[in-house]
Every structure is written in C-alpha cells, then in structure tokens.
Amino acid sequence: MRGAIEPEPIVATRAVDWPDVRGHRVVVGRPGQGWRRDLRADSVVVQDGRTLVPILTEHDWYRAEAEDVDVFAPLVPISRVWIEAPNAEVRVDHAGPETRWPVPVDEKASVTGGRIVCLAPGPTPGFDRGLRAVSELRQSAGGRTTLLVMDELDWYRWAWSGRMPKALEVSADNAWVE
C-alpha cells in the first residue's frame, strides 16, 4: 500500500532562466509544434551573438561523460530548450512542455526501460531519481511485489559495453515511473 509521500511531478522551465544547463535533462521543441525528450544539454555556447545549447541523446551524454569521448551534438537555440526538473525546484511555465506526473509502477502495463523514481530509505524521506527499470513487476521470495532497477549510467553502459551491471531489487510500493 502506498504511503502519503509521493514524488513531485517533472515540469519544464525555459533553459534561458536556468543558471547552468550542462548535464540536465531537457526537452527541445516549440509550443504547438511538438517536443523531443530523453535528451541532455551540454554547456551553452555563443556564436555570432546567438546563444545555443549542444543537445545530446541521453545515451551519447552518458557515453561521452563516462568514456571521455567526443560525440555529435547539434546546436539548438536556447529559446527552444526546456529544462526538466522536479516541481519543487522550478517555477512552472505553462507555455512549455506538459507536466509529467510520476505513475505508480503497479499502474503501468510495462515498466522495463522506464525512468524510475524510488522513495529512498532513511530518517528524512527523499527520492532517488535517475534509475531505469530492468524488469517487470515480480514476486520476491518473501511474497512482496518488486522490480529490478539500476542507475541510468549503468543502464546506458550496458548498451555500449554489452556487460550487464548488477541490478537492485526495490519494492513496487515505493517506486514510480516518470
């Protein structure tokens, strides 16, 4: 059974209002025309008086950071870039991409590969974001409903190296899909 604590929704705020975009999850697009998600921003660059943001797929972002390799990153005008962050961290801008509400994992038909947020154990409740599901819901030996997750870096490293990292079993009662 779920507790009273649930993760904040993910909202988008204009990158131009963000102090440092590097490494943040971003959405690229225009209101009324469409959005592209699952991207990361690199440091802002200025060319010919225009402020641009190098945009990478998350896979390329993690590989570039972990392996210290160069990857292609198209430059997108900062006016078309929106930072994704938990609602508590940003001012909601209703002109941008729609708010993404975390959904309990047991309410989704499939969770494998999805972004997962888990309630972190400890005296001060908090949420562990940046996880990926590597299994569907399952019954543990003790009869609890669980799923396997791993850090996003490990999820992407698995893709480029072929070596499966160790996964962590978490309770479905404390996990949401973003």
Side-chain angles (χ1 to χ4, degrees):
M1 183 161 170
R2 296 216 172 263
I5 298 174
E6 294 191 0
E8 294 279 344
I10 299 297
V11 298
T13 190
R14 296 172 194 272
V16 72
D17 296 331
W18 204 260
D20 181 15
V21 301
R22 187 177 195 289
H24 286 281
R25 288 179 176 164
V26 297
V27 180
V28 173
R30 288 186 183 170
Q33 292 187 348
W35 305 104
R36 181 148 188 244
R37 295 182 183 271
D38 296 324
L39 303 167
R40 296 274 175 163
D42 205 344
S43 298
V44 168
V45 297
V46 177
Q47 289 183 351
D48 298 325
R50 294 179 40 182
T51 304
L52 305 165
V53 182
I55 300 293
L56 296 86
T57 64
E58 285 199 320
H59 178 97
D60 283 341
W61 167 260
Y62 281 108
R63 192 167 67 88
E65 291 296 302
E67 302 288 316
D68 194 27
V69 296
D70 291 331
V71 295
F72 176 74
L75 299 175
V76 177
I78 198 165
S79 63
R80 296 183 189 171
V81 179
W82 303 73
I83 303 293
E84 285 189 312
N87 189 36
E89 296 178 17
V90 298
R91 174 180 52 82
V92 177
D93 187 332
H94 298 289
E98 54 282 336
T99 297
R100 296 174 71 179
W101 295 87
V103 176
V105 293
D106 56 2
E107 293 180 15
K108 296 290 281 184
S110 177
V111 297
T112 301
R115 287 182 173 163
I116 303 296
V117 56
C118 290
L119 182 61
T124 305
F127 292 97
D128 189 3
R129 294 182 184 265
L131 302 170
R132 291 284 181 153
V134 294
S135 76
E136 295 300 324
L137 298 181
R138 61 200 206 140
Q139 296 296 311
S140 70
R144 293 180 316 132
T145 303
T146 65
L147 73 152
L148 296 174
V149 299
M150 64 179 55
D151 287 330
E152 268 191 342
L153 171 59
D154 291 334
W155 167 260
Y156 287 108
R157 182 177 282 133
W158 179 17
W160 77 71
S161 74
R163 292 184 306 275
M164 184 176 185
K166 184 172 169 57
L168 173 67
E169 185 175 36
V170 298
S171 171
D173 288 340
N174 295 322
W176 294 261
V177 179
E178 286 189 319

